[in-house]
Amino acid sequence: MTEAKRLFDCIEYHLERKPLEDMLAGKEGGQWKKYSTAAVKDTVDKLSAGLLSLGISCGDMSAEGRDKVAILCKNRPEWVMLDLAVQQIGAVLTPIYPTINVNELEFVLNDAQVKTVFVNDEELFLKVLSLKEKVHCLKDIYTFEHVPNAKHWKEVTAMATPELIAQIKPVADSITYEDLATIIYTSGTTGTPKGVMLSHRNILSNVMASMPCFPPGDEMRSLSFLPLNHIFERMVTYLYLFRGTSIYYAESLDTIGENLKEVQPHMFTTVPRLLEKVYDRIMQKAMNSRVPRKSYSSGHIVLPRNLKSIKTWVLCIILNWPWPTKLYLVNGEKGWGGILNVSLRVVLPAR
């Protein structure tokens, strides 16, 4: 492959250059489950074939004719694999925030004419199931977690046959740079949610334009915790994939600290509000530990090495509060500072 033109090209990009043993990873049963590039490719193809078996397709290749698949789910490897699987058969993934209220969910499913929904767990399964009689286009609901009386997502991969898998490539080859890749709905704070249609070009152009800003190095790991439902983290995900960076998905926002220690990532993306929370916690710990006032100044904070409550690391935040530009974690051994071996550029949406 000389040049990527579609988001799902990232898999072939990986395979041709340097396949990873941990292209994607998520926590299952208290342990990190890693998916190699080859395993991701295999699962994505089987998912695509299973979706074809369910009647999900590109239709006449128009925006209206392409079948829509929705996902209500936390960040996990299966989220990305479903995205890739839907894309390469010309269908359209419509991500929906799990916290959406039932009335707005009904509107989005009907407006997008969603045929199949994938959800994370029982709570979300029941939420979507409660609307099935009101959303006549909805045919199937699948869960990523095992849920009583619900169809599991692996039932879709089990539908794959060699004949169905052979149908994928001709469709994938017909998809162009300008074709529709996803529909993302607005939050609805100014009225009913509105579907924003984004092409492969819309997202991939941002991915490639961001490449020169990417930290140097190979075999790097990232930790993902911002929601994939938002285009920011989703674009960054494809930046990681095309760059050959492993992606580990945090269990939740509450476990970020623990997951950082476990994964020891070289980078992650964040937003000001999360950094504010980190800042507040550090300041509170520092105050409780009797840190000398002279350790603080208006432009940055440096915590001394003898602060036992946060190990032996030093955190230095350089910011024009509340809009941080860089976060450096340095001089550490067992805390965050021992994890990031490159400076972390905090990428922010345009103000």
Side-chain angles (χ1 to χ4, degrees), residues 164-182:
L164 287 169
I165 290 175
Q167 293 178 28
I168 298 170
K169 191 176 188 305
V171 177
D173 288 345
S174 70
I175 297 170
T176 71
Y177 190 48
E178 301 291 347
D179 278 333
L180 179 64
T182 189

Side-chain angles (χ1 to χ4, degrees), residues 245-257:
T245 296
S246 303
I247 307 175
Y248 286 70
Y249 290 101
E251 298 166 87
S252 70
L253 291 178
D254 294 330
T255 64
I256 292 174

Side-chain angles (χ1 to χ4, degrees), residues 60-172:
D60 61 4
M61 295 295 284
S62 67
E64 296 79 10
R66 295 170 188 261
D67 288 326
K68 313 304 187 298
V69 176
I71 181 170
L72 290 85
C73 186
K74 69 171 188 175
N75 288 15
R76 57 190 299 160
E78 296 89 340
W79 203 114
V80 177
M81 289 190 277
L82 178 65
D83 190 16
L84 293 165
V86 171
Q87 285 179 32
Q88 70 176 5
I89 58 171
V92 177
L93 191 72
T94 303
I96 303 172
Y97 277 95
T99 54
I100 191 172
N101 68 59
V102 175
N103 292 333
E104 289 188 349
L105 177 58
E106 179 186 345
F107 173 83
V108 170
L109 293 176
N110 276 314
D111 188 66
Q113 289 292 290
V114 170
K115 283 190 175 182
T116 303
V117 179
F118 288 79
V119 301
N120 189 72
D121 51 27
E122 184 175 20
E123 179 183 357
L124 291 170
F125 169 70
L126 294 175
K127 180 188 281 191
V128 176
L129 185 63
S130 70
L131 296 172
K132 196 164 185 183
E133 297 302 317
K134 299 179 181 179
V135 183
H136 301 298
C137 54
L138 181 59
K139 305 300 181 185
D140 298 291
I141 308 170
Y142 290 91
T143 64
F144 289 119
E145 301 291 340
H146 287 282
V147 173
N149 303 314
K151 291 180 282 189
H152 192 249
W153 75 282
K154 288 190 176 179
E155 293 180 35
V156 182
T157 60
M159 297 176 191
T161 64
E163 293 75 20
L164 287 169
I165 290 175
Q167 293 178 28
I168 298 170
K169 191 176 188 305
V171 177

Side-chain angles (χ1 to χ4, degrees), residues 10 18 39 98 121 187 192 223 277 287 289:
C10 63
K18 191 174 183 180
D121 51 27
S187 62
T192 55
L223 184 70
K277 290 181 179 180
M287 292 299 184
S289 302

Side-chain angles (χ1 to χ4, degrees), residues 273-329:
R273 182 61 191 134
L274 283 178
L275 286 184
E276 288 173 0
K277 290 181 179 180
V278 172
Y279 178 86
D280 290 341
R281 289 174 187 169
I282 292 168
M283 293 297 287
Q284 187 60 50
K285 285 183 178 181
M287 292 299 184
N288 293 340
S289 302
R290 300 178 183 178
V291 176
R293 290 184 180 273
K294 65 181 181 180
S295 297
Y296 305 92
S297 64
S298 59
H300 62 279
I301 169 176
V302 177
L303 300 180
R305 288 179 61 86
N306 62 2
L307 186 56
K308 295 181 180 179
S309 63
I310 47 176
K311 310 296 183 183
T312 59
W313 51 278
V314 179
L315 171 65
C316 180
I317 301 178
I318 304 173
L319 36 76
N320 179 15
W321 208 256
W323 296 99
T325 56
K326 289 185 181 180
L327 174 66
Y328 291 92
L329 300 171

